[in-house]
């Protein structure tokens, strides 16, 4: 329930009590924001009193009579601080002249109400103004939220880019200070780790550029018939070296050919992300299976592994940016933290979705569903 | 002299441990917040090196610093906050200046990553003298 405060300004006591009777405690649903609103009425009899009340505690809506004993309604509007724009003014007048209307509008009045008016007229005007006010507030909140999310993203990105620098520098200091003695061979693992961290950084920058391109809509898309079997095979080949280190079995199941109208680089992103995760998070001697299937409604890409799997809580967090589920099993596995976020965005370009099934220590299955006719 | 490192980055912990051990320190470490007080208590360090950002929680280091400070047994151990989070930039915009006070961020020293082990060791010597 949202409470909106209405300040009614009029020198006729009968008018003020009438407005109070109609609006104070009046409840209505504003469908545009799916919320119920209740009104509270406060009153002022003169222009100066109204300005003082607004200064002290700005109402949400202002019902302002033109004819007031001291300064008139137009003067009140003119003297309102420019930052009171979060309040909407409704101008009441018995002398409805075009000139007054134009001046009042110029000075920020949102709507008019001609005297005399029926309770239903008052409610109608108030409802309209409330909708407008609440929609504007909602839009401002969304804008602020967007800025906050953007800032948070960049802050974490900054940290993610600094982390490998810290790691590589730490390792270089070991070499400089000959911490492990004078034999070069002793530093082999340290050098290898450093190279890996640099590779991770390169990957992060690449992923970041991919994501920005997708997000901005600037990415050039060439939709043409491509063979998903071919795309899957390339991804498996690219992961071959890593897979060999873990002695993994790579398997591709499905038809000999599976044509789909798609962008080749986007399909490569999908397959590379899925396959490289299935390899990275696998266990020695494990298995990676890529399955392709086409039904009447959709094309399915399913990649399963026999890896370390995830807890239900882990699965829940999975698609967030820079979410890397670190624990004793994954600490040495490197990643940008953007891969699945990219996978999700690319899949959404095709109106599709990504599903995950996972069991701790058993493995994970990622299914990309691309609807037909996209 | 015993130093305890709390950092989620396996390479940072590895390199720091090697550098500090070469300088004659005994080094213990943990990668996450779990069992913080128990593990520190068991190792009984003379100084703690603490990171700020941990996976899923960009401010976990602050909380850990407070946890350590509020333990009678551990409250006098000097803490060096070692992080890629930049005090001038990130702190002021994200965490605000109140975060470097004794209540919210009760650490003894703040050092930005990456740090030359020689510089870090000089600070450790000063704080444990």
């Amino acid at each position: 329930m949202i409470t909106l405060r209405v300040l009614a300004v009029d020198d006729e006591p009968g008018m003020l009590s009438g407005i109070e009777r109609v609006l104070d405690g009046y409840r209505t649903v504003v469908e545009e924001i799916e919320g119920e609103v209740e009104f509270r009425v406060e009153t002022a009899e003169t222009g100066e009193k109204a300005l003082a009340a607004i200064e002290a505690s700005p109402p949400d809506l202002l019902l302002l009579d033109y004819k007031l004993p001291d300064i008139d309604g137009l003067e009140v509007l003119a003297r309102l601080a420019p930052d009171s724009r979060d309040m909407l003014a409704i101008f009441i007048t018995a002398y409805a002249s075009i000139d007054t209307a134009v001046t009042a509008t110029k000075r920020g009045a949102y709507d008019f109400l001609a005297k005399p008016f029926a309770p239903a007229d008052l409610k109608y005007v108030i409802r309209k103004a409330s909708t407008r006010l609440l929609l504007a507030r909602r839009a401002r909140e969304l804008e602020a939220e967007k800025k906050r999310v953007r800032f948070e993203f960049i802050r974490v990105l900054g940290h993610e880019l600094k982390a490998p620098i810290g790691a590589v520098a730490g390792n270089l200091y070991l070499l400089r200070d000959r911490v492990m003695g004078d034999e070069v061979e002793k530093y082999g693992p340290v050098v290898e780790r450093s190279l890996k961290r640099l590779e991770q950084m390169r990957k992060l920058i690449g992923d970041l550029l991919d994501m920005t391109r997708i997000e901005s809509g600037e990415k050039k898309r060439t939709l043409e018939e491509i063979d998903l079997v071919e795309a899957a095979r390339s991804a498996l080949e690219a992961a071959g070296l890593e897979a060999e280190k873990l002695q993994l079995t790579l398997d591709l199941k499905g038809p000999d050919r599976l044509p789909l109208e798609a962008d080749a680089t986007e399909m490569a992103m999908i397959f590379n992300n899925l396959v490289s995760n299935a390899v990275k998070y696998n266990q020695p001697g494990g298995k990676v299976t890529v399955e392709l299937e086409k039904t009447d409604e959709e094309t399915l890409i399913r990649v399963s592994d026999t890896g370390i799997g995830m807890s239900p809580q882990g699965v829940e967090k999975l698609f967030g940016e820079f979410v890397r589920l670190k624990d004793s099993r994954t600490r040495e596995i490197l990643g940008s933290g953007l891969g699945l976020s990219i996978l999700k965005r690319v899949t959404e370009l095709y109106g599709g979705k990504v599903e995950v099934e996972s069991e701790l220590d058993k493995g994970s299955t990622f299914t990309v569903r691309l609807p037909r006719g996209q | 002299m015993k130093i305890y490192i709390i950092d989620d980055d396996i390479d940072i912990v590895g390199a720091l441990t090697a550098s500090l051990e070469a300088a004659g320190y005994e080094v213990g470490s943990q990668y996450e917040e779990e069992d913080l007080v128990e593990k520190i208590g068991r190792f009984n360090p003379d100084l703690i090196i603490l990171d700020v950002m941990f996976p899923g929680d960009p401010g976990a280091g602050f909380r850990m610093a407070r946890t350590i400070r509020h333990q009678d047994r551990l409250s006098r151990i000097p803490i060096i906050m070692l992080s890629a989070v930049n005090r001038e930039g990130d702190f002021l915009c994200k965490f605000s200046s109140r975060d470097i006070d004794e209540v919210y961020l009760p650490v003894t020293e703040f050092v930005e990553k990456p740090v030359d082990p020689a510089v870090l060791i000089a600070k450790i010597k000063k704080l444990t003298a």
Side-chain angles (χ1 to χ4, degrees):
Chain A
M1 170 85 75
I2 303 161
T3 303
L4 292 182
R5 288 169 48 228
V6 180
L7 178 64
V9 189
D10 201 313
D11 58 336
E12 295 173 43
M15 192 52 138
L16 290 181
S17 63
I19 291 172
E20 268 186 308
R21 221 173 20 250
V22 174
L23 284 185
D24 198 52
Y26 168 56
R27 288 182 183 187
T28 181
V29 172
V30 177
E31 273 156 25
E32 286 83 347
I33 63 148
E34 291 164 7
E36 198 183 1
V37 178
E38 181 176 15
F39 297 93
R40 288 276 157 231
V41 176
E42 292 152 38
T43 58
E45 306 83 32
T46 67
E48 292 292 354
K49 279 185 184 167
L51 285 169
I54 293 166
E55 168 87 9
S57 168
D60 301 293
L61 299 167
L62 179 66
L63 275 170
L64 182 62
D65 190 20
Y66 171 49
K67 203 172 120 306
L68 294 169
D70 49 352
I71 48 172
D72 68 24
L74 288 176
E75 180 67 17
V76 171
L77 283 179
R79 277 167 56 182
L80 283 177
D83 62 2
S84 61
R85 285 292 163 253
D86 194 33
M87 172 184 77
L88 285 184
I90 297 160
F91 209 64
I92 306 175
T93 174
Y95 315 94
S97 76
I98 294 283
D99 276 357
T100 319
V102 168
T103 312
T105 309
K106 274 188 187 153
R107 293 183 183 175
Y110 167 69
D111 207 348
F112 294 90
L113 196 55
K115 270 184 184 174
F117 49 81
D121 297 333
L122 178 59
K123 284 181 178 170
Y124 173 78
V125 167
I126 281 286
R127 275 181 55 102
K128 199 170 107 189
S130 308
T131 307
R132 158 71 181 260
L133 182 81
L134 294 173
L135 279 177
R137 282 184 189 169
R138 165 86 39 108
R140 270 201 302 277
E141 277 164 23
L142 283 177
E143 194 51 42
E145 174 66 9
K146 245 165 73 184
K147 272 192 192 148
R148 199 193 57 72
V149 168
R150 195 87 212 132
F151 177 74
E152 185 60 21
F153 177 83
I154 288 173
R155 196 174 65 85
V156 178
L157 172 68
H159 179 264
E160 290 300 308
L161 285 169
K162 282 183 196 167
I165 295 177
V168 171
N171 287 340
L172 286 175
Y173 285 125
L174 295 182
L175 274 133
R176 185 198 65 183
D177 300 340
R178 304 279 189 278
V179 164
M180 299 166 185
D182 287 331
E183 281 171 60
V184 176
E185 290 72 29
K186 291 214 165 128
Y187 296 91
V190 166
V191 172
E192 273 312 312
R193 260 324 270 191
S194 301
L195 290 171
K196 264 202 175 162
R197 294 301 291 259
L198 290 179
E199 171 59 21
Q200 172 206 18
M201 197 167 169
R202 192 196 62 74
K203 175 93 175 30
L204 170 58
I205 293 169
D207 282 357
L208 187 70
L209 292 174
D210 278 350
M211 210 172 79
T212 313
R213 266 197 294 267
I214 296 167
E215 222 178 32
S216 66
E218 290 292 307
K219 190 182 165 304
K220 283 208 178 63
R221 305 183 71 198
T222 314
L223 296 181
E224 56 191 351
E225 190 182 291
I226 64 158
D227 181 11
L228 288 189
V229 178
E230 200 46 53
R233 207 168 280 138
S234 307
L236 287 168
E237 265 170 35
L241 204 64
E242 281 300 306
E244 221 167 89
K245 283 187 200 159
L246 281 166
Q247 294 178 306
L248 304 178
T249 313
L250 305 181
D251 202 4
L252 177 56
K253 286 182 186 167
D256 292 339
R257 233 180 85 75
L258 207 168
L260 183 80
E261 186 85 356
D263 179 278
T265 56
E266 287 166 7
M267 286 303 121
M269 281 180 192
I270 291 182
F271 280 106
N272 286 333
N273 263 310
L274 289 174
V275 170
S276 81
N277 276 345
V279 169
K280 269 198 296 196
Y281 295 99
N282 223 308
Q283 314 202 30
K287 202 172 169 183
V288 174
T289 311
V290 178
E291 280 173 275
L292 299 172
E293 194 188 330
K294 191 169 201 166
T295 68
D296 286 345
E297 295 89 37
E298 55 188 4
T299 302
L300 286 165
I301 302 167
R302 186 176 292 124
V303 178
S304 30
D305 62 65
T306 55
I308 58 179
M310 288 167 287
S311 64
Q313 297 93 307
V315 172
E316 220 166 88
K317 287 192 264 178
L318 203 56
F319 289 93
E321 276 139 16
F322 298 120
V323 171
R324 302 213 49 236
L325 306 172
K326 274 199 198 175
D327 59 33
S328 57
R329 307 166 313 148
T330 61
R331 202 167 312 287
E332 291 193 51
I333 302 172
L334 297 174
S336 71
L338 290 177
L340 287 178
S341 184
I342 291 174
L343 173 72
K344 189 165 167 264
R345 278 165 209 242
V346 173
T347 304
E348 282 166 0
L349 289 178
Y350 292 83
K353 56 181 182 197
V354 187
E355 290 166 1
V356 194
E357 284 165 73
S358 190
E359 200 179 330
L360 213 55
D361 296 321
K362 290 264 165 66
S364 306
T365 299
F366 285 80
T367 307
V368 170
R369 293 174 178 276
L370 304 173
R372 235 186 124 96
Q374 287 287 326
Chain B
M1 195 71 85
K2 291 158 94 174
I3 312 284
Y4 197 69
I5 305 168
I6 307 150
D7 194 315
D8 65 301
D9 192 311
I10 191 167
D11 292 307
I12 296 282
V13 172
L16 269 182
T17 302
S19 290
L20 292 175
E21 281 178 353
Y25 292 99
E26 190 181 331
V27 182
S29 59
Q30 72 183 76
Y31 298 116
E32 64 283 292
E33 194 172 0
E34 269 122 71
D35 306 323
L36 183 75
V37 172
E38 295 73 18
K39 284 180 175 165
I40 296 175
R42 224 175 300 142
F43 188 76
N44 191 26
D46 298 285
L47 183 138
I48 293 167
I49 294 174
L50 176 62
D51 187 16
V52 174
M53 288 176 90
F54 284 77
D57 189 345
F62 296 165
R63 186 174 55 241
M64 287 190 239
R66 291 195 291 274
T67 306
I68 295 166
R69 274 291 182 269
H70 292 149
Q71 295 289 321
D72 280 346
R73 259 171 350 122
L74 311 178
S75 63
R76 272 180 299 278
I77 305 175
I79 301 175
I80 293 180
M81 188 146 255
L82 178 64
S83 177
V85 173
N86 175 297
R87 186 174 186 166
E88 280 71 36
D90 302 332
F91 264 39
L92 293 180
C93 47
K94 166 63 184 171
F95 304 111
S96 91
S97 55
R98 81 189 171 95
D99 298 343
I100 45 176
D101 70 15
E102 262 308 300
V103 180
Y104 195 75
L105 182 49
V107 301
T108 325
E109 190 83 54
F110 186 93
V111 178
E112 198 180 330
K113 263 185 208 169
V115 62
D116 186 331
V119 173
L120 185 64
I121 288 167
K123 283 200 195 292
I124 293 173
K125 281 197 173 131
K126 199 183 81 196
L127 292 176
T128 55

